[in-house]
Amino acid sequence: MTQVKSYAAQQADQSLAPFDLERRTPGPTDVEIEILYCGVCHSDIHTARNEWGGTMYPVVPGHEIVGKVSSVGSEVTKYKVGDTVGVGCFVDSCGHCNNCAEDLEQYCENGNSMTYNSMLQDKKTITYGGYSTHIVVTEKFVLRVSDKLPLEAVAPLLCAGITTYSPLKHWNVKAGDKVAVVGLGGLGHMAVKIAAAMGAEVTMLSRSPEKAKDADALGAHHFELTTAPENMKKMKGRFDIIIDTVSAQHDYNSYLSLLKTDGTMVLLGVPPQMEQIHAGSLIFGRKSLVGSLVGGIKETQEMLDFCAEHNIVSDVEVISIDKINEAYERTIAGDVHYRFVIDMASLKN
Ligand code: NAP
Ligand code: ZN
């Protein structure tokens, strides 16, 4: 075991603070990574504050990790010391169920090992995430990252990028499709960039009028305020697909009315509260309401390559780790442009 520095929440109502963490000594198939940057996802906040229930304290969040390989086990073949790599939302899975066999490790039937607040496959070792100087991950769950890109801006691709890329691919978004993205935050800004790169006509649906200019710069073709009833009315029946990234409770029925016949609304945001759905919102127009969870390892590598090819990275505000609690408050207030990323050098000093 090696002791490394990290930041942890000790309780739901406490700020994150320095915490010494034990990482396992790398085994034969393990890659040890010195973390350079880690993005701040709203899921980190939901978990640190136990908004979904089930948080195991102390919790070290962080699943948008980019770093350099600092050591490798004797059987590792894909990576060597010094390689630039990434780690996303999970660090292992059973490897033999139907979903793992189909490269859908995110839906592992035997329970995958999420990067934090989860159990390794021994079902007893708790996982700790990327707000930390180092992480040890089995080779199969490590991703290759081009070091030609600005690494701080690549880190958010490991969650926000794949979470939006995967449903856009799965529901076959293509040139000319009318795509709406709800909520301009970390996931939302990546959804706009990726959908636009796929050739879709992208409309940003936001409650924040000051974000209109940014939506345009990100590649959205239209911006509509969701707080104005006349806007919602005029968009009825307009979209092929709606990507909903909102982190707080909101009325799904009003967004379903914006879909065309046979349109699909994909839920990505996970508000802690329940929302009621009226059957009529789906029946009239044969509409689908679906959800999607991050993406498998193979698809994450495909997304990284797609983003490199299309020159897509995240718009980031780099912070030192002692600003993490402030960053949480600003994210909740919607004041994030459009992902906070921790410079992990600030933890090493
Ligand atoms: P974020 O950066 O905080 O963005 C969320 C956006 O939602 C905000 O910028 C805001 O956009 C909108 N919003 C927030 N509160 C709202 C409210 N009360 N009413 C209406 N709109 C509101 O969060 P994120 O990191 O993108 O994550 C978004 C959600 O996705 C979280 O629930 C997170 O846990 C979840 N998530 C899911 C997956 C998955 O695999 N499905 C993966 C990662 C994250 P506007 O100001 O433009 O309205
Ligand atoms: Zn995330």
Side-chain angles (χ1 to χ4, degrees), residues 22-81:
E22 297 280 336
R23 293 287 190 197
R24 69 177 184 267
T25 306
T29 60
D30 281 336
V31 175
E32 184 197 57
I33 301 161
E34 180 193 355
I35 300 175
L36 298 176
Y37 297 102
C38 184
V40 178
C41 177
H42 208 117
S43 300
D44 300 353
I45 305 175
H46 291 309
T47 307
R49 299 187 175 188
N50 200 23
E51 292 172 355
W52 293 328
T55 301
M56 299 176 277
Y57 292 97
V59 63
V60 177
H63 57 205
E64 294 184 337
I65 299 165
V66 166
K68 295 263 182 211
V69 173
S70 48
S71 77
V72 292
S74 56
E75 290 168 24
V76 170
T77 56
K78 271 170 66 191
Y79 301 104
K80 57 179 190 325
V81 171

Side-chain angles (χ1 to χ4, degrees), residues 172-186:
N172 277 322
V173 167
K174 54 188 182 317
D177 282 358
K178 289 188 161 54
V179 174
V181 177
V182 192
L184 187 45

Side-chain angles (χ1 to χ4, degrees), residues 6 28 72 106 130 144 209 276 279 322 326:
S6 77
V72 292
Q106 73 273 37
R144 189 167 293 285
Q276 287 210 328
D322 58 333
E326 209 178 289

Side-chain angles (χ1 to χ4, degrees), residues 15 26 34 110 132 137 142 181 208 227 233 246 261 298 323:
S15 298
E34 180 193 355
N110 296 307
S132 140
V137 179
V142 176
V181 177
S208 310
T227 46
K233 216 166 146 193
V246 175
T261 299
K298 188 174 168 211
K323 295 282 184 287

Side-chain angles (χ1 to χ4, degrees), residues 24 31 40 71 97 115 143 177 209 214 282 320 327:
R24 69 177 184 267
V31 175
V40 178
S71 77
C97 70
T115 304
L143 294 138
D177 282 358
D214 293 347
L282 299 170
S320 55

